[in-house]
Every structure is written in structure tokens, then in C-alpha cells.
């Protein structure tokens, strides 16, 4: 980096620093983001990803009720693909895992951001190894 700075080629060092800053910002975004916690039984009926309340009213109610199970820990009704996190003590929609590095669950609302964070981290790591090599 110093050689490039001395020769006036500042594009790569500036790009590397910006990539590190994006990585730090993504870390804070993913670690502070709500992964899709289930807060009450009422919110389960209203929450549908990508469907507004007006559109939800247009969908005719089905005669079959969706089978939902109750969480054994917090006693809330769990939608399909949700699970109780033992670390956070919350039920999480589309629970993937609890990541100790971000100290947060990875679930429905932050899964895309988590994958993007990992991709940026990998890019910074490989670029840093290339510079150090």
C-alpha cells in the first residue's frame, strides 16, 4: 500500500479502506437488527413477508387453519420454520442459527444482510492476505 501511495495510485488503498468500513457497518447492522423475533401470538397473524395489510384483506380466509405449535419455553404460537433460541430466549422466524460473533440470531429479517456481511468479510480477508503475501 505504501508503494502505491508513493507512486500516486490511491485507488486500491482507498477502495480497501472503504471495503473495511462497509464491513464494520454491516457488522453493526446485522448485530443490532431484529432477526424476526416472535413477540406475541397476535403478531403472528398479521405478519406476512412482502404482503401489505390491504393485500392481506383481499385473500379469502381458508377453511383449513394452519397448524401452529406452541413453544415449550415462551408458550407463544410458533409459525412454521420458527424455533426458540436458547441463547436469546426468544422464538425466531426462519431461525438459522445463533451466531456468537455477532451475538445475535440469524433469522428471517437479517439473513440476507448476514450473508452479505460474510461475503464482504471474505473479500477483505482475501485481499488483506494478498497484500501481506
Amino acid at each position: 500500500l505504501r508503494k502505491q501511495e508513493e507512486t500516486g495510485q490511491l485507488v486500491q488503498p482507498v477502495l480497501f479502506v472503504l471495503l473495511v468500513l462497509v464491513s464494520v457497518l454491516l457488522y453493526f447492522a446485522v448485530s443490532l437488527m431484529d432477526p424476526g423475533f416472535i413477540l406475541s401470538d397476535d403478531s403472528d397473524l398479521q405478519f406476512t413477508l412482502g404482503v401489505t395489510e390491504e393485500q392481506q384483506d383481499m385473500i379469502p380466509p381458508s377453511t383449513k387453519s394452519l397448524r401452529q405449535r406452541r413453544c415449550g419455553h415462551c408458550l407463544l404460537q410458533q409459525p412454521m420454520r420458527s424455533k426458540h433460541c436458547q441463547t436469546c430466549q426468544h422464538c425466531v422466524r426462519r431461525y438459522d442459527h445463533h451466531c456468537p460473533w455477532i451475538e445475535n440470531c440469524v433469522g428471517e429479517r437479517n439473513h440476507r444482510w448476514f450473508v452479505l456481511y460474510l461475503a464482504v468479510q471474505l473479500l477483505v480477508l482475501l485481499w488483506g492476505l494478498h497484500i501481506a503475501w
Side-chain angles (χ1 to χ4, degrees):
L1 290 178
R2 223 176 262 280
K3 288 179 185 178
Q4 292 173 346
E5 184 180 350
E6 290 171 359
T7 60
Q9 298 173 348
L10 292 177
V11 175
Q12 283 188 342
V14 169
L15 191 61
F16 183 76
V17 169
L18 286 176
L19 207 56
V20 170
L21 287 175
V22 166
S23 174
V24 170
L25 290 175
L26 280 172
Y27 168 79
F28 284 115
V30 170
S31 64
L32 298 175
M33 188 179 289
D34 176 18
F37 290 133
I38 301 170
L39 302 176
S40 68
D41 287 339
D42 297 336
S43 67
D44 296 341
L45 299 174
Q46 296 172 354
F47 182 81
T48 308
L49 190 63
V51 178
T52 64
E53 191 174 322
E54 184 178 310
Q55 291 171 336
Q56 187 71 25
D57 292 338
M58 290 185 217
I59 301 171
S62 64
T63 55
K64 286 185 176 180
S65 62
L66 294 174
R67 290 185 58 194
Q68 292 186 342
R69 58 191 167 133
R70 287 234 176 239
C71 175
H73 298 281
C74 56
L75 302 176
L76 293 173
Q77 284 188 341
Q78 290 181 330
M80 295 177 73
R81 296 188 65 196
S82 63
K83 188 179 173 201
H84 187 84
C85 177
Q86 295 293 334
T87 309
C88 292
Q89 295 301 317
H90 286 287
C91 288
V92 180
R93 294 177 183 276
R94 287 183 52 207
Y95 180 82
D96 188 19
H97 69 284
H98 184 89
C99 181
W101 304 109
I102 63 170
E103 194 56 40
N104 198 5
C105 290
V106 177
E108 183 176 66
R109 292 188 180 171
N110 66 350
H111 192 268
R112 289 181 191 150
W113 294 104
F114 182 73
V115 171
L116 181 64
Y117 168 69
L118 290 180
V120 170
Q121 282 291 87
L122 179 66
L123 191 61
V124 168
L125 176 72
L126 292 176
W127 197 353
L129 286 174
H130 176 72
I131 290 171
W133 200 263

